[in-house]
Amino acid sequence: MMRNTPRAFVGTVMFRLEDPPDVGVCEAVERQVGDLPGVSFCDVDEAAGVLIVTAREPVERAEVLAVLDRLDCRVAQ
Amino acid sequence: MLRGREAEQSALRALIERAAAGDGAALVLRGQPGVGKSALLDDAVTAARDADEGTGVTVLRTRGVESEAPLPFAALHRLLRPVLERLDDIPAPQARALRAALGEEAEGAGDRRLVYLATLNLLSEVGGDRPVLGVVDDAHWLDDASAAALLFVARRLEGEAVAFMFAIRDDEAGAFDTPELTTITITGVAATAAGELIADQAAAPIAAHVLEELLEVTDGNPLGLIELSGALTPDQLTGHQRLPERLPLTERVERAFLDRYRKLDAAAQTVLLVVAADDSGHPAIVARAAAALGAPEEAFDTAEESGLLRVSTEGLMLRHPLVRSAIYGAATSSRRRQTHRALADAFAGTAHEDRRAWHLAASVDGPDPDVVAALDEAAQRSSRRGGHEAAAAAWARAAELTLDPHERAQRLLNAAGANLAAGRPLETDLLTRAALVDADDPLLRADLLQLQGQVEWNTRSLHDGYRIVCRAAATAAPHDPAHARILAMLASALASFGAHAVDTPSPSTIVTAPAPDATVEEQAADALLRGFTAVIDNDWASAATALRRAWDLPLPATAPGLIHANLAIATMHLGDDERAIRLHDLQLQHARDAGAVNMIEHALTRGVVFRIATGAWSEAFKAAQEALLLDRNLGLDELAAFPLAELAVISALRGDPAAPQHLRDLDAELERHPPHGATTGLVRGLAHWAAARQLDVTPATALHHLQQIDLPVARWLTALDRIETAVRAERRDLAEKWLDEIRCFAEGADMAWAWATVHHARAVLGHGDAEEHLTRALDWHATSPRLPARARTQLALGEHLRRHRRRTAARVPLREALDTFESLGAASWAERARQELRASGETARRGTNLVASDLTPQESQIAALVREGLSNKDVAARLFISPRTVDFHLRNVYTKLGITSRTELAALTGDLT
C-alpha cells in the first residue's frame, strides 16, 4: 500500500527511529503521542531507538507519524 | 525527443554493447521525480530494438508499483513472463521454485534463494541465445521479494550476456538498496535544452528572464519545466505578469497536477482517484469500482482528455507517479476508505485475492474479523510462494486489526517468523517485542522469546541470546515441561559452545527430570540437556554417559527438529567421528532433498570438522569448497568464514603451497564478517590452528596461536599439536597442563583417539619409556578412525626406533606412516617419513596423489563432481550455478589440464588442487 493509505491499528506497534532523539524530544514524543485518542501507552526506548505505542481503541498510524514529523523524528523504513 | 542527454544515452548504449559482448553489468539511474529517468530508459529500449535487426537483443521490462508492495514477486513475474517457456533449461529444483514463487505451481517455493538463482540462470540461458536487456523502472517501489531477486541478479552479471537498467527516485529508498551497483545521478538539463523543451510544448514564446527563473526553480528538471511552463498563462510566459509564489519543486509539480485535477467534474475525479488508489491498471476493475462510486463510463473519456490518465494496451496509467501522489494525498481519509472498499468489492471473485485483502485492510477504521481473515489467507499464500516479507506484512497488518490480545500476539509471532525467514532480524526483533507486550499465554511467550533469542545469538550477542532462551524455558516450564525441556536443552547447547550469563540459572535447574514412562522425545531432550550441562562442568564421564544414552534412544523421524539437530551437534563434544559423519550426512541428504540451503551449508561444514579429524581430507576439502561456493553464490557471506577456516586447516595440515593464501583469505574474511553465534569459538579455533601449522612459523608464534584456542571441541582437535608445540617452544609447563587436560577428558569420555593422544603426548614429554607409550598409543589408534593421528604416532615410533639404531624395526611404522601421509596428500609429513625411511636404509618412493594444477576453487569443485559422473545440469543444481557456467568452467578445466573430454578427466588419478 502507499505511504498515506489509511492504516488504523489496535494493540502494540513499534516504530524504529532513524536517529536516537534527545531526552527533550523523547519526552515530547511520549506526551504528544500519548495524548492521541485511543493511545493507552507510549514509550521511547532510547537504547533500542524504538517508539512503542499501544492502542486500546483504533488509532490512525498517520496521526502518530504526523507527531513524529512535527518533532523532526524520522522513522526508518 | 530527448534533449541534453547525450552523455547518459551513450552510457546506456555502452551497457547494451557490453552485454552483447558477454560482459553483462547493471546500471542504476538515480534522480528526482520528473528528471527524465523513464525517458532515458525508453530511449535505451528503442535503441536496443533498433539494434535488434543487427545484433538481436531480448528486452524484458517491469516496474515497481507502490500498491504492489505486499504482492510477492509481482514485478519479477512481469519481467520474466516472456521467457518463462525456457524454464526447462535450468536445473529442475530451481525451475520448480521459480514457478511456485510466481504462483504458476501449487507446490511451495522452498528456499527463497533458489528463486533468485533460478532467475539468474533463466536470464543466463536466454542470454546464451541473444543478449538480454532488463529494464526496471520505479525500482524503489518494487515489492520486497522482486527487489531481493533482482538485486541478487544485478550483482552477478559478470560474464553473462545480460544487462540491467534500474531507475530509482532519489527521495525513496525502498527495498532496492544499491550502494555497490554503478549509478548515474540524473540531474536537470542545461539552459539550451530547457529552452527547447519548453518551446516544444508552450503556447507562447518564453521570455529569457522567465526561462531563467523556471530553470532556477526546477533546477532543469524536465517534468518541472514542462508542467510549470504549461500551467503559466501566455502573459506569465512572456513576462508581462508575475509568476506564482515559490514552493519546493515536487510540491509545485504536484500542485500543477492537482490544479488540473480539480478543474475536472466529480465523476472524472472519482475515476482518477480510483486509478490512484490501485495502480494495477486493470480497466475492468477500475470501471467496476468507479461505477460503484457513482462515476459513469463517460467519465473515463474526460479523465483521459485531461492528459492525467493514459489508456493503452497495457491498461490504465496516470501521467506520472506525482499525479497519483497529488490526487491520493488530496483526498480525505474517508474518501480514500470508500475508494478502497469499492476496489476490494471490484476484486472480489477475481484471481487477485491478495490485492482485495489489502484494499479491505485500507477500507476499515478499526478491528474487523472478516478483513483479518482475508489478510491471514493472503499471508499464507505469500508464505507458500516464498514471499516471506509479504507474508510478514500481511500478518502484521492482520494483528493491527485484531481485538483479542492473544490472537494478535499469535499473528505477530507469525509475522516475526516470516521476517526471520526473509533474513530480516531487526524486523523480527521489533515484532517479537510488540507481541510480548500483549501475549499473556506463557507458551506463546516462550515461543516469542525463543525467536527473539535466536535473532540475538545469531546477529548480536551469543550470551544475551542464551539468556533469552533460558527465560523462554523458565516461562514454559510450569505449563509444558516437555517443551521447556527442549528449550533448556537448546540453552545448554549454546552454553556448551561458549555462551554464559552470570545472572541466569543453569538450564538444567529450570526443568525437572521426565517421568520414567516419558516419551522417547522427552528422554532424548533430557539426556542431551544433562550431557551438555556436564560438558559445561567439564564432567566428561557424565557427559559421555548422557550423550551416548541420547544417541541410543530410538528417536522417530517426526521428533522435533531441535532434538535431531542437537544430537548431531553433540557428537562434536566427544569427538565421536563416525557417528558425527553419519548424522551430518543424513542431515545433508534431507537438506538436499528439501532444497534447504542453510541446512545444506550447516551439514557440510559440520561434517568437514570430523573428516579433518579422520583424514578424509579430500572429501573434507570438497565439502568445504562446496559450502564456500554456496555461501558466495547465494549471498550468504556472513557464513563464509567457517568453510574458509576449514580449507585453511586442511591445506596447512597437508603442507600445501597454497596454505598461506588460504590463511590470508580467511583472515580477510574474518575482518569483513567476524563470526557470530555458536560457531564463533570453533571458527576462531580453526583459524588459530591453521595459523600455527604454517610451515615457516616459529614455535613461539605457533604457540601464541594455539594458546588462544579456548573451546574444548577445538582444544581436543589440536591437543597433540598444542603439546608438541609447547615442548618445542620450551614451555614444558604448558605441555604438562595440556596433557593433564586431555587425560581428564580421556578418562571421562573414554574415546580411543583421546587415549592415543595421551600416550603419544607422554612419549613426547618423556614420561617413562617412549617406545612403550607410542606402542600403547598405536593400540588405541587401532580402534579409532583418526588416520592422521595414527600416522603421526607411527612416524614418531619409527623416528624413535631409528634413533635407537633399530633401523629394520623402524621401517615398518615408517612405511605405514608414509602410505597414510601420501594418501592424505600431507606433503610435509610424507617428506619427513621419507627422510626417516632413507635414514633407516630404505629408498622410499615419491608419492603422486596430488595433481598440481592451476584450477580455481570453482573449477576444481566442478571437475571433482564431473569425475563422480554427474552431468552438467546435475553439477549446476548441486552448486547453485547455471549449466552454462558449469560448461564455461569445464572448458577452462580441460584447457588447464591439457585434456579434451570428460572421459579423460575421469581417468585422472589423485586429487585436483
Side-chain angles (χ1 to χ4, degrees), chain A residues 2-4 7-8 10 12 16 45 60, chain B residues 172 276 324 336-337 397 400 427 433 437:
Chain A
M2 287 168 282
R3 193 170 302 161
N4 42 9
R7 187 168 172 179
V10 291
T12 300
R16 192 147 46 89
D45 179 341
E60 188 53 56
Chain B
E172 297 272 359
R324 186 156 56 87
R336 286 183 212 156
R337 286 199 170 94
R397 184 72 187 108
E400 291 174 358
E427 287 74 7
R433 290 183 59 177
V437 174

mmCIF file with all atom_site columns, all heavy atoms in Angstrom, chain A residues 2-4 7-8 10 12 16 45 60, chain B residues 172 276 324 336-337 397 400 427 433 437:
data_model
loop_
_atom_site.group_PDB
_atom_site.id
_atom_site.type_symbol
_atom_site.label_atom_id
_atom_site.label_alt_id
_atom_site.label_comp_id
_atom_site.label_asym_id
_atom_site.label_entity_id
_atom_site.label_seq_id
_atom_site.pdbx_PDB_ins_code
_atom_site.Cartn_x
_atom_site.Cartn_y
_atom_site.Cartn_z
_atom_site.occupancy
_atom_site.B_iso_or_equiv
_atom_site.pdbx_formal_charge
_atom_site.auth_seq_id
_atom_site.auth_comp_id
_atom_site.auth_asym_id
_atom_site.auth_atom_id
_atom_site.pdbx_PDB_model_num
ATOM 1   N N   . MET A 1 2   ? 0.251   2.392  -0.193 1.00 0.00 ? 2   MET A N   1
ATOM 2   C CA  . MET A 1 2   ? 1.025   3.627  -0.272 1.00 0.00 ? 2   MET A CA  1
ATOM 3   C C   . MET A 1 2   ? 1.255   4.221  1.115  1.00 0.00 ? 2   MET A C   1
ATOM 4   O O   . MET A 1 2   ? 0.625   3.798  2.081  1.00 0.00 ? 2   MET A O   1
ATOM 5   C CB  . MET A 1 2   ? 0.297   4.616  -1.167 1.00 0.00 ? 2   MET A CB  1
ATOM 6   C CG  . MET A 1 2   ? 0.406   4.210  -2.636 1.00 0.00 ? 2   MET A CG  1
ATOM 7   S SD  . MET A 1 2   ? -0.696  5.124  -3.701 1.00 0.00 ? 2   MET A SD  1
ATOM 8   C CE  . MET A 1 2   ? -2.256  4.346  -3.415 1.00 0.00 ? 2   MET A CE  1
ATOM 9   N N   . ARG A 1 3   ? 2.161   5.180  1.182  1.00 0.00 ? 3   ARG A N   1
ATOM 10  C CA  . ARG A 1 3   ? 2.555   5.700  2.483  1.00 0.00 ? 3   ARG A CA  1
ATOM 11  C C   . ARG A 1 3   ? 1.360   6.268  3.254  1.00 0.00 ? 3   ARG A C   1
ATOM 12  O O   . ARG A 1 3   ? 1.267   6.117  4.457  1.00 0.00 ? 3   ARG A O   1
ATOM 13  C CB  . ARG A 1 3   ? 3.616   6.782  2.269  1.00 0.00 ? 3   ARG A CB  1
ATOM 14  C CG  . ARG A 1 3   ? 4.317   7.167  3.530  1.00 0.00 ? 3   ARG A CG  1
ATOM 15  C CD  . ARG A 1 3   ? 5.497   8.029  3.209  1.00 0.00 ? 3   ARG A CD  1
ATOM 16  N NE  . ARG A 1 3   ? 6.417   7.327  2.314  1.00 0.00 ? 3   ARG A NE  1
ATOM 17  C CZ  . ARG A 1 3   ? 7.345   7.936  1.580  1.00 0.00 ? 3   ARG A CZ  1
ATOM 18  N NH1 . ARG A 1 3   ? 7.439   9.231  1.584  1.00 0.00 ? 3   ARG A NH1 1
ATOM 19  N NH2 . ARG A 1 3   ? 8.155   7.253  0.817  1.00 0.00 ? 3   ARG A NH2 1
ATOM 20  N N   . ASN A 1 4   ? 0.465   6.940  2.530  1.00 0.00 ? 4   ASN A N   1
ATOM 21  C CA  . ASN A 1 4   ? -0.647  7.556  3.251  1.00 0.00 ? 4   ASN A CA  1
ATOM 22  C C   . ASN A 1 4   ? -1.954  6.774  3.103  1.00 0.00 ? 4   ASN A C   1
ATOM 23  O O   . ASN A 1 4   ? -3.034  7.316  3.263  1.00 0.00 ? 4   ASN A O   1
ATOM 24  C CB  . ASN A 1 4   ? -0.837  9.019  2.820  1.00 0.00 ? 4   ASN A CB  1
ATOM 25  C CG  . ASN A 1 4   ? -0.692  9.178  1.314  1.00 0.00 ? 4   ASN A CG  1
ATOM 26  O OD1 . ASN A 1 4   ? -0.617  8.173  0.601  1.00 0.00 ? 4   ASN A OD1 1
ATOM 27  N ND2 . ASN A 1 4   ? -0.667  10.408 0.846  1.00 0.00 ? 4   ASN A ND2 1
ATOM 28  N N   . ARG A 1 7   ? -4.454  3.413  7.757  1.00 0.00 ? 7   ARG A N   1
ATOM 29  C CA  . ARG A 1 7   ? -3.934  2.242  8.465  1.00 0.00 ? 7   ARG A CA  1
ATOM 30  C C   . ARG A 1 7   ? -4.220  2.399  9.960  1.00 0.00 ? 7   ARG A C   1
ATOM 31  O O   . ARG A 1 7   ? -3.344  2.788  10.744 1.00 0.00 ? 7   ARG A O   1
ATOM 32  C CB  . ARG A 1 7   ? -2.440  2.100  8.197  1.00 0.00 ? 7   ARG A CB  1
ATOM 33  C CG  . ARG A 1 7   ? -1.873  0.826  8.765  1.00 0.00 ? 7   ARG A CG  1
ATOM 34  C CD  . ARG A 1 7   ? -0.475  0.578  8.248  1.00 0.00 ? 7   ARG A CD  1
ATOM 35  N NE  . ARG A 1 7   ? 0.114   -0.552 8.952  1.00 0.00 ? 7   ARG A NE  1
ATOM 36  C CZ  . ARG A 1 7   ? 1.326   -1.017 8.697  1.00 0.00 ? 7   ARG A CZ  1
ATOM 37  N NH1 . ARG A 1 7   ? 2.061   -0.466 7.763  1.00 0.00 ? 7   ARG A NH1 1
ATOM 38  N NH2 . ARG A 1 7   ? 1.802   -2.034 9.371  1.00 0.00 ? 7   ARG A NH2 1
ATOM 39  N N   . ALA A 1 8   ? -5.467  2.106  10.322 1.00 0.00 ? 8   ALA A N   1
ATOM 40  C CA  . ALA A 1 8   ? -5.829  2.160  11.732 1.00 0.00 ? 8   ALA A CA  1
ATOM 41  C C   . ALA A 1 8   ? -5.289  0.915  12.429 1.00 0.00 ? 8   ALA A C   1
ATOM 42  O O   . ALA A 1 8   ? -5.200  -0.143 11.817 1.00 0.00 ? 8   ALA A O   1
ATOM 43  C CB  . ALA A 1 8   ? -7.343  2.224  11.875 1.00 0.00 ? 8   ALA A CB  1
ATOM 44  N N   . VAL A 1 10  ? -4.926  -1.349 16.418 1.00 0.00 ? 10  VAL A N   1
ATOM 45  C CA  . VAL A 1 10  ? -5.056  -1.526 17.871 1.00 0.00 ? 10  VAL A CA  1
ATOM 46  C C   . VAL A 1 10  ? -3.876  -2.396 18.310 1.00 0.00 ? 10  VAL A C   1
ATOM 47  O O   . VAL A 1 10  ? -3.211  -3.007 17.471 1.00 0.00 ? 10  VAL A O   1
ATOM 48  C CB  . VAL A 1 10  ? -6.389  -2.191 18.264 1.00 0.00 ? 10  VAL A CB  1
ATOM 49  C CG1 . VAL A 1 10  ? -7.570  -1.275 18.023 1.00 0.00 ? 10  VAL A CG1 1
ATOM 50  C CG2 . VAL A 1 10  ? -6.566  -3.514 17.541 1.00 0.00 ? 10  VAL A CG2 1
ATOM 51  N N   . THR A 1 12  ? -0.131  -3.184 20.138 1.00 0.00 ? 12  THR A N   1
ATOM 52  C CA  . THR A 1 12  ? 1.175   -2.518 20.238 1.00 0.00 ? 12  THR A CA  1
ATOM 53  C C   . THR A 1 12  ? 1.886   -2.491 18.895 1.00 0.00 ? 12  THR A C   1
ATOM 54  O O   . THR A 1 12  ? 1.963   -3.511 18.210 1.00 0.00 ? 12  THR A O   1
ATOM 55  C CB  . THR A 1 12  ? 2.053   -3.241 21.277 1.00 0.00 ? 12  THR A CB  1
ATOM 56  O OG1 . THR A 1 12  ? 1.387   -3.190 22.536 1.00 0.00 ? 12  THR A OG1 1
ATOM 57  C CG2 . THR A 1 12  ? 3.417   -2.588 21.391 1.00 0.00 ? 12  THR A CG2 1
ATOM 58  N N   . ARG A 1 16  ? 10.597  2.160  14.407 1.00 0.00 ? 16  ARG A N   1
ATOM 59  C CA  . ARG A 1 16  ? 12.056  2.256  14.540 1.00 0.00 ? 16  ARG A CA  1
ATOM 60  C C   . ARG A 1 16  ? 12.493  3.660  14.126 1.00 0.00 ? 16  ARG A C   1
ATOM 61  O O   . ARG A 1 16  ? 12.202  4.102  13.017 1.00 0.00 ? 16  ARG A O   1
ATOM 62  C CB  . ARG A 1 16  ? 12.713  1.184  13.664 1.00 0.00 ? 16  ARG A CB  1
ATOM 63  C CG  . ARG A 1 16  ? 14.174  0.988  13.936 1.00 0.00 ? 16  ARG A CG  1
ATOM 64  C CD  . ARG A 1 16  ? 14.593  -0.463 13.727 1.00 0.00 ? 16  ARG A CD  1
ATOM 65  N NE  . ARG A 1 16  ? 14.084  -1.043 12.497 1.00 0.00 ? 16  ARG A NE  1
ATOM 66  C CZ  . ARG A 1 16  ? 14.719  -0.995 11.328 1.00 0.00 ? 16  ARG A CZ  1
ATOM 67  N NH1 . ARG A 1 16  ? 15.859  -0.356 11.221 1.00 0.00 ? 16  ARG A NH1 1
ATOM 68  N NH2 . ARG A 1 16  ? 14.213  -1.578 10.262 1.00 0.00 ? 16  ARG A NH2 1
ATOM 69  N N   . ASP A 1 45  ? 12.043  3.805  23.686 1.00 0.00 ? 45  ASP A N   1
ATOM 70  C CA  . ASP A 1 45  ? 13.176  3.020  24.194 1.00 0.00 ? 45  ASP A CA  1
ATOM 71  C C   . ASP A 1 45  ? 14.418  3.603  23.528 1.00 0.00 ? 45  ASP A C   1
ATOM 72  O O   . ASP A 1 45  ? 14.725  3.280  22.379 1.00 0.00 ? 45  ASP A O   1
ATOM 73  C CB  . ASP A 1 45  ? 12.973  1.532  23.832 1.00 0.00 ? 45  ASP A CB  1
ATOM 74  C CG  . ASP A 1 45  ? 14.130  0.663  24.311 1.00 0.00 ? 45  ASP A CG  1
ATOM 75  O OD1 . ASP A 1 45  ? 15.213  1.213  24.576 1.00 0.00 ? 45  ASP A OD1 1
ATOM 76  O OD2 . ASP A 1 45  ? 13.938  -0.565 24.400 1.00 0.00 ? 45  ASP A OD2 1
ATOM 77  N N   . GLU A 1 60  ? -5.069  5.973  14.104 1.00 0.00 ? 60  GLU A N   1
ATOM 78  C CA  . GLU A 1 60  ? -4.582  6.030  12.713 1.00 0.00 ? 60  GLU A CA  1
ATOM 79  C C   . GLU A 1 60  ? -3.059  6.200  12.742 1.00 0.00 ? 60  GLU A C   1
ATOM 80  O O   . GLU A 1 60  ? -2.546  7.124  13.386 1.00 0.00 ? 60  GLU A O   1
ATOM 81  C CB  . GLU A 1 60  ? -5.254  7.199  11.990 1.00 0.00 ? 60  GLU A CB  1
ATOM 82  C CG  . GLU A 1 60  ? -4.997  7.252  10.504 1.00 0.00 ? 60  GLU A CG  1
ATOM 83  C CD  . GLU A 1 60  ? -5.315  5.959  9.768  1.00 0.00 ? 60  GLU A CD  1
ATOM 84  O OE1 . GLU A 1 60  ? -6.458  5.469  9.863  1.00 0.00 ? 60  GLU A OE1 1
ATOM 85  O OE2 . GLU A 1 60  ? -4.397  5.443  9.099  1.00 0.00 ? 60  GLU A OE2 1
ATOM 86  N N   . GLU B 2 172 ? 13.461  8.160  -2.410 1.00 0.00 ? 172 GLU B N   1
ATOM 87  C CA  . GLU B 2 172 ? 12.833  6.915  -1.954 1.00 0.00 ? 172 GLU B CA  1
ATOM 88  C C   . GLU B 2 172 ? 13.919  5.856  -1.846 1.00 0.00 ? 172 GLU B C   1
ATOM 89  O O   . GLU B 2 172 ? 14.741  5.711  -2.728 1.00 0.00 ? 172 GLU B O   1
ATOM 90  C CB  . GLU B 2 172 ? 11.803  6.411  -2.990 1.00 0.00 ? 172 GLU B CB  1
ATOM 91  C CG  . GLU B 2 172 ? 10.630  7.339  -3.210 1.00 0.00 ? 172 GLU B CG  1
ATOM 92  C CD  . GLU B 2 172 ? 9.501   7.083  -2.243 1.00 0.00 ? 172 GLU B CD  1
ATOM 93  O OE1 . GLU B 2 172 ? 9.641   6.157  -1.408 1.00 0.00 ? 172 GLU B OE1 1
ATOM 94  O OE2 . GLU B 2 172 ? 8.509   7.815  -2.303 1.00 0.00 ? 172 GLU B OE2 1
ATOM 95  N N   . ALA B 2 276 ? -5.605  6.066  -8.894 1.00 0.00 ? 276 ALA B N   1
ATOM 96  C CA  . ALA B 2 276 ? -4.509  6.404  -7.977 1.00 0.00 ? 276 ALA B CA  1
ATOM 97  C C   . ALA B 2 276 ? -4.446  5.411  -6.817 1.00 0.00 ? 276 ALA B C   1
ATOM 98  O O   . ALA B 2 276 ? -3.361  5.072  -6.339 1.00 0.00 ? 276 ALA B O   1
ATOM 99  C CB  . ALA B 2 276 ? -4.688  7.827  -7.443 1.00 0.00 ? 276 ALA B CB  1
ATOM 100 N N   . ARG B 2 324 ? -0.380  10.659 -9.133 1.00 0.00 ? 324 ARG B N   1
ATOM 101 C CA  . ARG B 2 324 ? -1.012  9.763  -8.161 1.00 0.00 ? 324 ARG B CA  1
ATOM 102 C C   . ARG B 2 324 ? -0.836  10.295 -6.737 1.00 0.00 ? 324 ARG B C   1
ATOM 103 O O   . ARG B 2 324 ? -1.799  10.365 -5.968 1.00 0.00 ? 324 ARG B O   1
ATOM 104 C CB  . ARG B 2 324 ? -0.391  8.374  -8.271 1.00 0.00 ? 324 ARG B CB  1
ATOM 105 C CG  . ARG B 2 324 ? -1.062  7.349  -7.411 1.00 0.00 ? 324 ARG B CG  1
ATOM 106 C CD  . ARG B 2 324 ? -0.837  5.968  -7.971 1.00 0.00 ? 324 ARG B CD  1
ATOM 107 N NE  . ARG B 2 324 ? 0.575   5.691  -8.109 1.00 0.00 ? 324 ARG B NE  1
ATOM 108 C CZ  . ARG B 2 324 ? 1.331   5.183  -7.135 1.00 0.00 ? 324 ARG B CZ  1
ATOM 109 N NH1 . ARG B 2 324 ? 0.780   4.915  -5.971 1.00 0.00 ? 324 ARG B NH1 1
ATOM 110 N NH2 . ARG B 2 324 ? 2.598   4.951  -7.331 1.00 0.00 ? 324 ARG B NH2 1
ATOM 111 N N   . ARG B 2 336 ? -10.802 8.104  0.821  1.00 0.00 ? 336 ARG B N   1
ATOM 112 C CA  . ARG B 2 336 ? -9.855  7.035  0.474  1.00 0.00 ? 336 ARG B CA  1
ATOM 113 C C   . ARG B 2 336 ? -10.418 5.681  0.900  1.00 0.00 ? 336 ARG B C   1
ATOM 114 O O   . ARG B 2 336 ? -10.320 4.698  0.172  1.00 0.00 ? 336 ARG B O   1
ATOM 115 C CB  . ARG B 2 336 ? -8.512  7.260  1.188  1.00 0.00 ? 336 ARG B CB  1
ATOM 116 C CG  . ARG B 2 336 ? -7.702  8.369  0.598  1.00 0.00 ? 336 ARG B CG  1
ATOM 117 C CD  . ARG B 2 336 ? -6.358  8.460  1.332  1.00 0.00 ? 336 ARG B CD  1
ATOM 118 N NE  . ARG B 2 336 ? -5.898  9.844  1.371  1.00 0.00 ? 336 ARG B NE  1
ATOM 119 C CZ  . ARG B 2 336 ? -5.070  10.335 2.257  1.00 0.00 ? 336 ARG B CZ  1
ATOM 120 N NH1 . ARG B 2 336 ? -4.595  9.588  3.227  1.00 0.00 ? 336 ARG B NH1 1
ATOM 121 N NH2 . ARG B 2 336 ? -4.691  11.586 2.207  1.00 0.00 ? 336 ARG B NH2 1
ATOM 122 N N   . ARG B 2 337 ? -10.982 5.637  2.112  1.00 0.00 ? 337 ARG B N   1
ATOM 123 C CA  . ARG B 2 337 ? -11.528 4.356  2.595  1.00 0.00 ? 337 ARG B CA  1
ATOM 124 C C   . ARG B 2 337 ? -12.648 3.858  1.678  1.00 0.00 ? 337 ARG B C   1
ATOM 125 O O   . ARG B 2 337 ? -12.707 2.680  1.332  1.00 0.00 ? 337 ARG B O   1
ATOM 126 C CB  . ARG B 2 337 ? -12.045 4.491  4.027  1.00 0.00 ? 337 ARG B CB  1
ATOM 127 C CG  . ARG B 2 337 ? -10.957 4.586  5.042  1.00 0.00 ? 337 ARG B CG  1
ATOM 128 C CD  . ARG B 2 337 ? -11.438 4.244  6.459  1.00 0.00 ? 337 ARG B CD  1
ATOM 129 N NE  . ARG B 2 337 ? -10.287 4.140  7.328  1.00 0.00 ? 337 ARG B NE  1
ATOM 130 C CZ  . ARG B 2 337 ? -9.816  5.153  8.073  1.00 0.00 ? 337 ARG B CZ  1
ATOM 131 N NH1 . ARG B 2 337 ? -10.434 6.317  8.059  1.00 0.00 ? 337 ARG B NH1 1
ATOM 132 N NH2 . ARG B 2 337 ? -8.733  4.990  8.816  1.00 0.00 ? 337 ARG B NH2 1
ATOM 133 N N   . ARG B 2 397 ? -0.245  -6.667 9.582  1.00 0.00 ? 397 ARG B N   1
ATOM 134 C CA  . ARG B 2 397 ? -1.425  -5.806 9.384  1.00 0.00 ? 397 ARG B CA  1
ATOM 135 C C   . ARG B 2 397 ? -2.661  -6.467 9.991  1.00 0.00 ? 397 ARG B C   1
ATOM 136 O O   . ARG B 2 397 ? -3.501  -5.790 10.589 1.00 0.00 ? 397 ARG B O   1
ATOM 137 C CB  . ARG B 2 397 ? -1.636  -5.578 7.872  1.00 0.00 ? 397 ARG B CB  1
ATOM 138 C CG  . ARG B 2 397 ? -2.766  -4.617 7.559  1.00 0.00 ? 397 ARG B CG  1
ATOM 139 C CD  . ARG B 2 397 ? -2.408  -3.176 7.915  1.00 0.00 ? 397 ARG B CD  1
ATOM 140 N NE  . ARG B 2 397 ? -3.549  -2.262 7.776  1.00 0.00 ? 397 ARG B NE  1
ATOM 141 C CZ  . ARG B 2 397 ? -4.190  -1.716 8.808  1.00 0.00 ? 397 ARG B CZ  1
ATOM 142 N NH1 . ARG B 2 397 ? -3.805  -1.953 10.046 1.00 0.00 ? 397 ARG B NH1 1
ATOM 143 N NH2 . ARG B 2 397 ? -5.212  -0.893 8.612  1.00 0.00 ? 397 ARG B NH2 1
ATOM 144 N N   . GLU B 2 400 ? -2.760  -5.793 13.584 1.00 0.00 ? 400 GLU B N   1
ATOM 145 C CA  . GLU B 2 400 ? -3.191  -4.431 13.924 1.00 0.00 ? 400 GLU B CA  1
ATOM 146 C C   . GLU B 2 400 ? -4.706  -4.286 13.934 1.00 0.00 ? 400 GLU B C   1
ATOM 147 O O   . GLU B 2 400 ? -5.246  -3.345 14.499 1.00 0.00 ? 400 GLU B O   1
ATOM 148 C CB  . GLU B 2 400 ? -2.600  -3.427 12.916 1.00 0.00 ? 400 GLU B CB  1
ATOM 149 C CG  . GLU B 2 400 ? -1.085  -3.264 13.042 1.00 0.00 ? 400 GLU B CG  1
ATOM 150 C CD  . GLU B 2 400 ? -0.488  -2.379 11.954 1.00 0.00 ? 400 GLU B CD  1
ATOM 151 O OE1 . GLU B 2 400 ? -1.244  -1.922 11.069 1.00 0.00 ? 400 GLU B OE1 1
ATOM 152 O OE2 . GLU B 2 400 ? 0.726   -2.171 11.983 1.00 0.00 ? 400 GLU B OE2 1
ATOM 153 N N   . GLU B 2 427 ? 13.519  -6.551 11.981 1.00 0.00 ? 427 GLU B N   1
ATOM 154 C CA  . GLU B 2 427 ? 12.059  -6.557 11.957 1.00 0.00 ? 427 GLU B CA  1
ATOM 155 C C   . GLU B 2 427 ? 11.523  -7.677 12.831 1.00 0.00 ? 427 GLU B C   1
ATOM 156 O O   . GLU B 2 427 ? 10.503  -7.527 13.517 1.00 0.00 ? 427 GLU B O   1
ATOM 157 C CB  . GLU B 2 427 ? 11.544  -6.712 10.524 1.00 0.00 ? 427 GLU B CB  1
ATOM 158 C CG  . GLU B 2 427 ? 11.713  -5.485 9.639  1.00 0.00 ? 427 GLU B CG  1
ATOM 159 C CD  . GLU B 2 427 ? 13.140  -5.239 9.196  1.00 0.00 ? 427 GLU B CD  1
ATOM 160 O OE1 . GLU B 2 427 ? 14.005  -6.105 9.462  1.00 0.00 ? 427 GLU B OE1 1
ATOM 161 O OE2 . GLU B 2 427 ? 13.410  -4.187 8.602  1.00 0.00 ? 427 GLU B OE2 1
ATOM 162 N N   . ARG B 2 433 ? 9.032   -8.144 20.116 1.00 0.00 ? 433 ARG B N   1
ATOM 163 C CA  . ARG B 2 433 ? 8.889   -7.231 21.261 1.00 0.00 ? 433 ARG B CA  1
ATOM 164 C C   . ARG B 2 433 ? 7.464   -6.709 21.367 1.00 0.00 ? 433 ARG B C   1
ATOM 165 O O   . ARG B 2 433 ? 6.906   -6.615 22.461 1.00 0.00 ? 433 ARG B O   1
ATOM 166 C CB  . ARG B 2 433 ? 9.870   -6.062 21.127 1.00 0.00 ? 433 ARG B CB  1
ATOM 167 C CG  . ARG B 2 433 ? 11.308  -6.490 21.321 1.00 0.00 ? 433 ARG B CG  1
ATOM 168 C CD  . ARG B 2 433 ? 12.239  -5.306 21.246 1.00 0.00 ? 433 ARG B CD  1
ATOM 169 N NE  . ARG B 2 433 ? 11.912  -4.322 22.268 1.00 0.00 ? 433 ARG B NE  1
ATOM 170 C CZ  . ARG B 2 433 ? 12.600  -3.206 22.477 1.00 0.00 ? 433 ARG B CZ  1
ATOM 171 N NH1 . ARG B 2 433 ? 13.644  -2.925 21.738 1.00 0.00 ? 433 ARG B NH1 1
ATOM 172 N NH2 . ARG B 2 433 ? 12.259  -2.360 23.420 1.00 0.00 ? 433 ARG B NH2 1
ATOM 173 N N   . VAL B 2 437 ? 4.378   -7.572 24.504 1.00 0.00 ? 437 VAL B N   1
ATOM 174 C CA  . VAL B 2 437 ? 3.585   -6.623 25.280 1.00 0.00 ? 437 VAL B CA  1
ATOM 175 C C   . VAL B 2 437 ? 2.179   -7.188 25.502 1.00 0.00 ? 437 VAL B C   1
ATOM 176 O O   . VAL B 2 437 ? 1.590   -7.058 26.578 1.00 0.00 ? 437 VAL B O   1
ATOM 177 C CB  . VAL B 2 437 ? 3.494   -5.262 24.560 1.00 0.00 ? 437 VAL B CB  1
ATOM 178 C CG1 . VAL B 2 437 ? 2.545   -4.322 25.285 1.00 0.00 ? 437 VAL B CG1 1
ATOM 179 C CG2 . VAL B 2 437 ? 4.877   -4.636 24.428 1.00 0.00 ? 437 VAL B CG2 1
#
